[in-house]
Amino acid sequence: VAELRAALALSPTNVPALDGLGYALAQQGAGDAAVAVLQQATSLAPTNAIVWLHLALAEQRQGRLPEAVAAYETALTNAPTLVAALNNLAWLRATSSRDELRDGKAAVALAERACQLTAEKEPMFLGTLAAAYAEAGRFAEAQAATEKARNLAKQLGLEEIARRNAELLELYRAGRPYRE
């Protein structure tokens, strides 16, 4: 953070430094400061999808979900194959506790695209796809995706992800979507 601030003292419009500072501040829990810095970066580089992704993450951490959705959407407008944005927006659209943010059909489309782009080799993305299917009322597909995510996580030694998918599988078997 100190080094990024020093770089910005020399060049206040250095977008990579602003992005790095905003991301670092968010990681340290300084959410409001992170959002302010990242908003400055997006104003300087409105087509930089990574900066928009980092802004979305910071907004989401602050609980400002509509703002996070808008930032994810802008990231995807600028980089339609940015898998982190596809996955994170799909998760929000599938699992948000806020009814107005959930959209099962959109969540499925986003999650399917993320899984396609990663050749279904990312267990977290498969878990998001399962949550999207559940939100859309497609519980058989949610169960299948969850089982695939769990098995892949086990193969990769990701025991916590495997355990979490086992828990979610029971929820989907009961015909209930997951809510954050």
Side-chain angles (χ1 to χ4, degrees), residues 1-9 17 20-28 30 33 37:
V1 168
E3 291 172 2
L4 290 165
R5 289 186 195 272
L8 288 166
L21 178 59
Y23 188 78
L25 289 170
Q27 296 297 320
Q28 293 179 348
V37 169

Side-chain angles (χ1 to χ4, degrees), residues 107-124:
V108 167
L110 292 160
E112 284 179 339
R113 183 73 175 132
C115 287
Q116 176 191 37
L117 289 167
T118 57
E120 296 189 358
K121 299 295 185 201
E122 176 54 59
M124 288 184 64

Side-chain angles (χ1 to χ4, degrees), residues 26-180:
Q27 296 297 320
Q28 293 179 348
D32 288 333
V35 167
V37 169
L38 290 164
Q39 286 174 335
Q40 182 182 357
T42 61
S43 70
L44 293 168
T47 61
N48 186 320
I50 298 299
V51 176
W52 283 103
L53 172 65
H54 291 162
L55 176 59
L57 291 167
E59 294 281 22
Q60 190 171 356
R61 283 186 174 183
Q62 290 299 103
R64 295 192 285 257
L65 300 182
E67 292 84 352
V69 166
Y72 283 130
E73 288 173 344
T74 302
L76 290 169
T77 296
N78 291 303
T81 60
L82 185 58
V83 292
L86 287 164
N87 181 72
N88 294 357
L89 182 55
W91 183 259
L92 271 174
R93 291 290 191 197
T95 68
S96 177
S97 61
R98 296 178 62 172
D99 293 344
E100 72 275 11
L101 296 180
R102 283 195 315 276
D103 181 340
K105 185 177 178 181
V108 167
L110 292 160
E112 284 179 339
R113 183 73 175 132
C115 287
Q116 176 191 37
L117 289 167
T118 57
E120 296 189 358
K121 299 295 185 201
E122 176 54 59
M124 288 184 64
F125 294 176
L126 289 165
T128 298
L129 178 59
Y133 283 146
E135 174 58 27
R138 297 163 59 178
F139 291 102
E141 290 165 288
Q143 292 170 43
T146 304
E147 288 173 351
K148 190 169 189 173
R150 182 187 64 196
N151 293 339
L152 181 57
K154 283 182 180 179
Q155 288 174 5
L156 296 172
L158 302 170
E159 293 304 320
E160 178 60 27
I161 294 172
R163 184 195 62 73
R164 183 68 180 129
N165 275 282
E167 292 172 1
L168 291 171
L169 182 57
E170 294 307 312
L171 189 68
Y172 304 148
R173 283 182 178 153
R176 295 186 358 240
Y178 174 75
R179 296 285 176 264
E180 292 224 294

